[in-house]
């Protein structure tokens, strides 16, 4: 096991929180168009997922047992 693997496994909660806060601040600094595109894609993903589930439940074949 290398020393880098050991330090990654033994981070304190403050170090983890600091890493996550830096990541969140980078997200805030993204361009507006990038944020819009990401939100739009997420909305399409959720919408089409729900639409597909409804379609699948509505047009499925009845359950039949073969035994």
């Amino acid at each position: 096991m290398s020393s880098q693997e050991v330090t990654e496994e033994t981070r304190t909660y403050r170090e983890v929180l600091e890493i996550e806060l830096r990541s969140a601040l980078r997200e805030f600094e993204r361009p507006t168009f990038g944020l819009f595109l990401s939100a739009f894609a997420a909305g399409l993903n959720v919408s089409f997922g729900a639409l597909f589930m409804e379609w699948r439940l509505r047009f499925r074949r009845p359950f039949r047992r073969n035994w």
Side-chain angles (χ1 to χ4, degrees):
M1 187 180 282
S2 70
S3 63
Q4 185 177 4
E5 289 175 354
V6 171
T7 57
E8 287 180 1
E9 292 178 7
T10 57
R11 287 185 176 142
T12 65
Y13 73 95
R14 287 189 182 269
E15 291 171 332
V16 172
L17 182 61
E18 184 178 328
I19 291 168
E20 291 300 319
L21 284 173
R22 273 192 236 132
S23 174
L25 289 173
R26 275 196 309 269
E27 290 297 317
F28 275 122
E29 294 169 358
R30 286 175 56 188
T32 306
F33 182 72
L35 289 173
F36 168 76
L37 195 59
S38 177
F40 184 70
L44 286 176
N45 191 9
V46 170
S47 299
F48 281 118
L51 184 66
F52 176 75
M53 285 189 292
E54 172 63 26
W55 175 79
R56 177 67 179 105
L57 289 173
R58 185 170 299 241
F59 297 110
R60 68 180 178 171
R61 294 181 184 163
F63 179 73
R64 293 186 184 151
R65 291 185 183 170
N66 291 330
W67 40 278

